[in-house]
């Protein structure tokens, strides 16, 4: 996720802006920039790369002024470049803006503005905001911002500057965080508390739809209808290191709790307004494109491979195209039957995974069409593939992947719906059901995360376990694979996942009294079969923890303990059911005093074969 900072007061703005951005570096970024008003004009300095490059660029010519905004960018629309860096300004230089999030209707706005003579310098969605400001400006800064907010759609945190109003900054948010730090004779704006914690402990936390006018001596907050809002001061007692983690003990836990927003960002602009289907403007496929595809390969490693297994179920069942899922490190060496009628989908959080990149190149050599699903704009895999879908999960700091996985699942489900509709193999009624299930998914994730006490207690109960087994059928089996991986990689408890019906073909010999078994039972079409498999392990005196949908009154009769997830469609259930497994693994690792964010022997991005 990008970083935002803003300052207005009696001190020079630039030192705070640069320092504040440095405190947000943990969020990940590919470019940085600042805009400072010197009393005559807004001066913008920005460049691709790390903050040190911006410092070097500024050099001895530091922009002077007591009001300014800054931004560290994680590329979404447009590759990392000087031109795509924030802040963005209009042609006159009267306005400057920084933005986190996605403006969903930016293309429509951009085309309209170009027709009116506006010239755009970047590939970003953000630049339309500042040009729209210039187009609508009537001399009233505040009213112009409000007009802009009525036009743009999407998720955002925005901070606006105007050369005609050098005594104020205006900021607002929708689905992306924004805080206002309260000083004496100075005030601060940031996307996260670490940027301002060394300057003030008192903050306003903005809520969605709130509109704030910030001067050096005051902060005025109102809602979209202009009704004043009396904000409560949120006082921070964390130290700076804890603040980077948002008050969470570990980055992994922070990223688990970021999943509702990450999934929301991934779906943003990809769901039709009437919720009839999903949209991928970056693909623009037509029926002929899919009719020529006879088979799909999904290639990935680790967690992304598990996302690929879920993707196989989605595409085969919804879009009716045969799918094979391959471990990237094996793909090149088994002489795969790939040709021009094959679509190869590669999945990688970092976009730099060496095995996956090599498999992608091999698929291209064999004539396949290629599609990358990744989180990092401009990464090697994104550049190599014919087409790319970005997940917009934001940076993951912890080695164990959480939000990258759930956003990959969201992409694969949206892609399957998209393909099914293009091929006319998905009924309009079912398409609407699935899109609605996606639409409510972020709220369901929020609901699940409201109280994890039960999950935490189970994790501590099993902290001394030597072995654990994860079972499931159909999509539940795919999620079991990921749950098993999470537990072993951060808690070092030996864990194995099995298709529940396969256990009796050998591995049942390991199920003895007291062995812990986690069973997922969220898929109705195999539910009775799963209950039979639970009976098999209970007959060997295993202790069973069940994961089931809310309202399932039967499961508790068969298991020792139960964790319920919100009732959901069979295809969104995997995105929900993995959360308790992530949380279980996290607290098991904490209970065992493991290094949660940096587990032994592992790296975040595997760039060697």
């Amino acid at each position: 996720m990008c970083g935002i900072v803003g300052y207005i007061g009696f001190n020079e703005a630039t030192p705070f802006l640069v320092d504040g951005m440095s405190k947000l570096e943990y969020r990940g970024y590919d470019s940085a920039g600042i805009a400072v008003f010197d009393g005559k004009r807004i001066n913008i300095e920005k460049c691709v790369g790390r903050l040190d490059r911006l410092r070097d660029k500024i050099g001895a010519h530091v922009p002077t002024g007591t009001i300014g905004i800054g931004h560290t960018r994680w590329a979404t629309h447009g590759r990392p470049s000087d031109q795509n860096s924030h802040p963005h300004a209009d042609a006159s230089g009267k306005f400057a803006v920084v933005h986190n999030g996605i403006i969903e209707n930016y293309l429509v706005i951009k085309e309209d503005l170009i027709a009116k003579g506006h010239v755009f310098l970047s590939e970003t969605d953000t630049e339309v905001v500042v040009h729209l400001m210039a187009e609508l400006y009537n001399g009233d800064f505040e009213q112009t911002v409000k007009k802009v907010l009525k036009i743009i759609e999407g998720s955002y945190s925005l901070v606006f500057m105007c050369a005609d109003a050098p005594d104020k900054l205006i900021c607002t948010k929708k689905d992306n965080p924004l805080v206002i730090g309260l000083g004496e004779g100075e005030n601060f704006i940031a996307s996260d508390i670490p940027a301002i914690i060394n300057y003030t402990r008192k903050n306003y936390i903005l809520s969605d739809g709130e509109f704030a006018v910030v001067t050096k001596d005051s902060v005025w907050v109102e809602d979209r209808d202009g009704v004043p809002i009396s904000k409560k001061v949120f006082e921070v007692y964390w130290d700076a290191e804890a603040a980077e983690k948002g008050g969470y003990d570990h980055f992994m836990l922070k990223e688990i709790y970021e999943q509702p927003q990450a999934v929301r960002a991934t779906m943003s602009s990809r769901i039709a307004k009437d919720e009839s289907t999903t949209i991928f403007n970056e693909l623009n496929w037509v029926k002929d494109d899919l009719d020529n595809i006879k088979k799909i390969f999904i290639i990935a490693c680790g967690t992304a491979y598990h996302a690929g297994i879920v993707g196989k179920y989605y595409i085969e069942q919804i879009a009716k195209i045969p799918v094979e899922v391959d471990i990237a490190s094996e793909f090149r060496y088994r002489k795969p039957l790939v040709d021009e009628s094959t679509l190869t989908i590669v999945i990688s959080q970092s976009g730099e995974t060496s095995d996956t990149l090599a498999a992608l190149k091999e698929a291209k050599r064999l004539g396949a069409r290629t599609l990358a699903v990744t989180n990092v704009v401009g990464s090697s895999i994104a550049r190599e593939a014919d087409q790319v879908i970005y997940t917009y999960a934001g940076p993951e700091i912890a080695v164990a992947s959480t939000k990258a996985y759930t956003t990959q699942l969201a992409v694969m489900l949206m892609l399957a719906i998209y393909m099914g509709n293009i091929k006319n193999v998905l009924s309009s009624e079912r398409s609407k059901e699935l899109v609605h299930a996606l639409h409510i998914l972020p709220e369901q994730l929020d609901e699940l995360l409201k109280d994890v006490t039960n999950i935490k207690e189970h994790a501590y109960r099993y902290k001394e376990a030597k072995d654990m087994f994860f079972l499931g059928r159909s999509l539940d089996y795919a999620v079991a694979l990921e749950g098993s991986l999470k537990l072993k990689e951060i808690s070092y408890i030996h864990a194995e996942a099995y298709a529940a019906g396969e256990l009796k073909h050998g591995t049942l010999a390991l199920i003895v009294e007291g062995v812990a078994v986690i069973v997922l039972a969220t898929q109705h079409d195999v539910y009775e079969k799963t209950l039979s498999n639970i009976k098999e392990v209970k007959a060997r005196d295993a202790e069973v923890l069940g994961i089931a949908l809310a309202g399932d009154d039967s499961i508790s009769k068969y298991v020792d303990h139960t964790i319920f997830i919100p009732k959901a469609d069979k295809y969104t259930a995997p995105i929900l059911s993995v959360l308790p497994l992530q949380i279980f693994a996290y607290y098991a690792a904490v209970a065992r005093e493991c290094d949660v964010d940096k587990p032994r022997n592992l790296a975040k991005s595997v760039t060697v074969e």
Side-chain angles (χ1 to χ4, degrees), residues 92 236 255 319 321 342 354 393 431 498 500 505 566:
S92 70
V236 178
E255 288 155 10
I321 303 174
T342 304
S354 178
S431 180
Y498 284 90
H505 297 290

Side-chain angles (χ1 to χ4, degrees), residues 580-598:
L581 302 184
Q582 294 170 346
I583 296 164
F584 181 92
Y586 169 79
Y587 281 112
V590 170
R592 292 165 65 87
E593 299 182 352
C594 300
D595 189 342
V596 174
D597 287 334
K598 299 176 181 178

Side-chain angles (χ1 to χ4, degrees), residues 280 283 285 345 371 389 411-419:
F280 285 93
L283 300 182
W285 286 346
I345 302 174
L371 170 64
I389 298 172
V411 163
M412 296 309 293
L413 179 51
M414 287 190 292
L415 183 63
I417 297 168
Y418 177 71
M419 296 168 75

